[in-house]
Amino acid sequence: MREKKRLEDALASDAELARRSEDIHAYFDLAREGENVEADLRREMDGLRAKIDALETETLLSGPNDRLNAIVTIHPGAGGTESQDWADMLMRMYTRWAERKGFETVVYDYQPGEEAGLKSATFAVNGPYAYGLLTSEIGVHRLVRISPFDQAKRRHTSFASVYVSPEIDETIDVVIKPEDLRVDTYRSSGKGGQHVNTTDSAVRITHIPTGLVASCQNERSQHKNRERAMSMLRSKLYELEMERKREATKQIEDSKLDIDFGSQIRSYVLQPYRMIKDHRTKTEIGDVDRVLDGDLQPLMRAYLLARRDEKK
């Protein structure tokens, strides 16, 4: 079904490009006849340019798992409430990005902070190329701002880490021995908990040999939460094995750095000036609010282009 959808989308894209090209030619003909079509022509050309950019981005996503859905995990760094609030801001940024793309987000686990923000969050982003696009976000994100939690209004630096794994399907075999698992149940809480604080329906599964943990609390039944957690664990184990292979060939992405100074992939500066800078691609964006509201396309595209150039 996934391959059928991909082919249907490719045919639809070809048809849209042909239609837009014909419309632009028609506007040029009208302009030669003296019609004032500048605004319409500019709109059509901008739309065609955006479509071509989107198709080019898809050509950059040729990895074996790039087409898959993504599972995103966010953890705050040291710094208490400041970092926890920053982690929550990142989660909002990614959910808004997903909305812009027409993707679905499903919260699997959300642990709220004591005062604000979150201690950890895991959610799925379901849509074509979700994993391939979100690989650009793996790593440590740094925020510089005047703290809303500091009565002295001092500038603070906060860190949070983002980790992304592909949501693998049943066609990929991942062997998990029952004796390697520790299963804990607890009461649901925070976002995603439907039976909040009434039953021990939430499930946390620990893979003892690797220390990987998968939690889910958004379903009503413990059985469904266990199924979701096992699915996430399979994805994490698969990504761990892929990461080991990349490390062996010196192609591993730097996604396991300490959540601290010098390890960030991107800085979001709100004070004393406003600027977002990706330290891998040197891309800088002055419209901070637009990015935090989910417009990540320029940053993702720059990362994918840089990754392609590195492989040449």
Side-chain angles (χ1 to χ4, degrees):
M1 283 298 291
R2 184 174 286 144
E3 181 64 14
K4 179 185 177 185
K5 179 67 164 58
R6 185 185 70 81
L7 293 173
E8 289 175 346
D9 289 344
L11 290 172
S13 294
D14 286 344
E16 182 180 353
L17 288 175
R19 179 187 62 77
R20 287 184 177 275
S21 180
E22 291 173 0
D23 289 345
I24 288 173
H25 281 297
Y27 280 123
F28 274 117
D29 289 338
L30 290 172
R32 292 189 192 97
E33 296 172 3
E35 293 282 344
N36 183 8
V37 295
E38 181 179 352
D40 294 320
L41 182 59
R42 187 180 300 277
R43 184 186 66 249
E44 286 295 328
M45 292 185 71
D46 287 345
L48 179 61
R49 186 178 297 108
K51 182 63 178 178
I52 292 173
D53 286 347
L55 290 173
E56 184 183 21
T57 299
E58 289 185 9
T59 67
L60 301 172
L61 298 170
S62 57
N65 299 316
D66 283 348
R67 297 181 185 277
L68 300 180
N69 298 330
I71 297 175
V72 183
T73 301
I74 301 176
H75 289 290
T81 302
E82 280 291 336
S83 293
Q84 290 174 9
D85 187 56
W86 171 223
D88 204 38
M89 290 170 64
L90 284 173
M91 182 175 179
R92 177 186 179 277
M93 181 178 75
Y94 293 126
T95 55
R96 293 302 297 270
W97 171 79
E99 289 175 11
R100 286 170 175 257
K101 297 285 293 181
F103 292 172
E104 175 193 32
T105 57
V106 181
V107 177
Y108 288 159
D109 187 54
Y110 185 96
Q111 301 296 325
E114 287 88 353
E115 297 181 36
L118 60 86
K119 292 182 178 178
S120 70
T122 300
F123 57 97
V125 179
N126 301 327
Y129 298 101
Y131 172 69
L133 291 167
L134 284 167
T135 54
S136 65
E137 304 306 298
I138 296 173
V140 177
H141 297 247
R142 169 179 175 253
L143 173 70
V144 180
R145 64 171 176 176
I146 299 295
S147 171
F149 307 101
D150 187 340
Q151 292 184 350
K153 301 299 180 183
R154 291 170 294 187
R155 191 165 69 239
H156 285 245
T157 300
S158 306
F159 298 89
S161 69
V162 177
Y163 183 69
V164 184
S165 59
E167 186 178 58
I168 61 176
D169 55 34
E170 298 299 327
T171 63
I172 301 176
D173 187 27
V174 177
V175 178
I176 302 177
K177 298 178 181 179
E179 59 268 27
D180 288 342
L181 300 179
R182 184 177 73 245
V183 181
D184 300 306
T185 59
Y186 58 98
R187 291 187 178 181
S188 300
S189 63
K191 298 178 182 178
Q194 297 179 17
H195 241 191
V196 177
N197 293 327
T198 59
T199 63
D200 290 343
S201 60
V203 174
R204 181 187 299 108
I205 302 178
T206 304
H207 186 248
I208 298 171
T210 63
L212 290 174
V213 178
S215 304
C216 187
Q217 61 172 318
N218 73 309
E219 301 289 349
R220 284 185 177 274
S221 76
Q222 185 181 115
H223 177 71
K224 288 184 178 180
N225 280 327
R226 182 181 176 120
E227 285 184 350
R228 289 282 192 181
M230 280 299 297
S231 176
M232 285 189 285
L233 183 61
R234 290 177 68 247
S235 294
K236 289 185 176 185
L237 286 169
Y238 179 81
E239 179 62 15
L240 178 63
E241 182 60 28
M242 294 300 293
E243 185 173 295
R244 285 170 176 168
K245 290 179 180 179
R246 289 194 294 267
E247 188 173 41
T249 57
K250 305 301 181 182
Q251 296 176 357
I252 188 171
E253 295 181 62
D254 192 11
S255 61
K256 295 296 184 181
L257 293 171
D258 292 335
I259 313 176
D260 205 342
F261 283 96
S263 62
Q264 65 270 7
I265 62 165
R266 191 180 299 152
S267 293
Y268 306 70
V269 180
L270 307 186
Q271 189 71 26
Y273 55 90
R274 297 177 67 81
M275 177 70 70
I276 291 177
K277 180 176 181 178
D278 193 295
H279 302 289
R280 302 159 300 177
T281 65
K282 310 306 179 186
T283 302
E284 296 184 353
I285 298 177
D287 193 345
V288 175
D289 293 331
R290 183 171 179 177
V291 173
L292 291 176
D293 203 36
D295 186 9
L296 297 172
Q297 184 67 16
L299 293 164
M300 289 179 169
R301 178 178 167 79
Y303 171 80
L304 293 172
L305 287 169
R307 187 176 67 175
R308 180 196 63 185
D309 292 342
E310 287 178 358
K311 294 179 180 179
K312 289 182 177 179

